């Protein structure tokens, strides 16, 4: 996967259906930040993993089928949200992916699944890079749920594409989510998407823009730890 030409936090703006122009710009910037940081920090450090078992069928592949929903091949292929699909593709056959994964999949289900997979991969990769124990199951579940719920909520608002995936809440507990002082990349990802259109300011970890790899981030974290 190549670095976005526009640099960190930027990507091209494509038309959307349910947002003010400035809100669309905000969403596209946040998607660009995911893509940029994944390519720069996470992808080079990804551990090879066996193919994960597929999850439940998406809305468009279930039997009996409900009303047809916008598909990934149409709604995601040429818009800014395509970068999330591209990032998830670097993870191989990620857990929870529709067994009939393809362009006919429900676009909203795809966003939810991709967001969960990306957050889980970032969480595990940061733990390894900073020489911390593997994250426990409840923390991984909380991160997956939070990422899926937060990104899907914005996607549905922008494209008017509701589906059952958009109704999944964050049930695992917010206290399990890592903060930016612990895991800067995963913590910032979850914080930025908590309520990105509120206008209350973005919790960007600005010093990340001066790092070039996970070792740089680890060194910064080491300098910020309280001295015993």
């Amino acid at each position: 996967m190549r670095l976005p030409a526009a640099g960190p936090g930027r990507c091209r703006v494509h038309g959307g259906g349910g947002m003010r122009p400035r809100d669309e710009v905000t969403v596209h910037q946040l998607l660009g930040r995911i893509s940029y940081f994944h390519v720069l920090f996470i992808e080079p450090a990804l551990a090879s993993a066996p193919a994960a078992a597929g999850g439940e069928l998406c809305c468009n592949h279930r039997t009996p089928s409900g009303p047809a929903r916008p598909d990934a091949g149409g709604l995601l292929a040429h818009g800014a949200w395509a970068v999330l699909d591209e990032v998830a593709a670097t993870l191989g056959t990620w857990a929870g992916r529709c067994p009939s994964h393809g362009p006919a999949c429900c676009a909203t289900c795809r966003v939810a699944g991709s967001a969960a997979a990306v957050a889980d991969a970032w969480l595990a990769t940061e733990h390894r890079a900073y020489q911390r124990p593997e994250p426990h199951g409840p923390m991984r579940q909380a991160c997956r749920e939070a990422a899926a719920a937060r990104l899907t909520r914005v996607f549905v608002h922008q494209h008017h594409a509701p589906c059952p995936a958009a109704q999944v809440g964050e049930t695992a507990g917010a206290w399990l989510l890592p903060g930016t002082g612990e895991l800067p990349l995963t913590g910032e990802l979850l914080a930025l998407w908590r309520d990105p259109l509120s206008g209350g300011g973005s919790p960007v970890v600005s010093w990340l823009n001066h790092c070039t790899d996970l070792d740089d981030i680890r060194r910064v974290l080491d300098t910020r730890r309280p001295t015993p």
Side-chain angles (χ1 to χ4, degrees), residues 36-122:
Y36 186 84
F37 280 0
H38 184 80
V39 174
L40 184 64
F41 297 121
I42 302 297
E43 195 170 6
L46 279 175
S48 58
E56 296 182 359
L57 290 167
C58 74
C59 291
N60 284 355
H61 286 121
R62 289 176 187 164
T63 303
S65 60
R69 304 181 191 279
D71 59 70
L75 191 53
L76 296 184
H78 306 294
W81 286 89
V83 300
L84 186 64
D85 205 23
E86 292 169 3
V87 168
T90 69
L91 306 176
T93 306
W94 36 268
R97 193 171 81 162
C98 174
S100 297
H101 182 86
C105 280
C106 167
T108 306
C109 287
R110 178 73 63 82
V111 167
S114 296
V118 169
D120 188 63
W122 285 28

Side-chain angles (χ1 to χ4, degrees), residues 3 6 9 21 27-29 44-45 52 62 79 95 119 124 130 139 141 148 150-151 158 166 185 192 195 203 208:
L3 286 171
V27 171
H28 299 159
Q29 288 175 341
R62 289 176 187 164
Y130 312 149
M139 175 182 281
Q141 182 63 24
R150 295 174 187 186
L151 272 75
Q158 182 178 18
L185 296 171
L192 285 174
D195 192 8
L208 286 173

Side-chain angles (χ1 to χ4, degrees), residues 85 125 157 218:
D85 205 23
T125 301
H157 174 61
R218 179 176 53 80

Side-chain angles (χ1 to χ4, degrees), residues 126-133 218:
E126 283 201 277
H127 271 259
R128 285 192 300 270
Y130 312 149
Q131 300 175 357
R132 299 184 179 184
R218 179 176 53 80

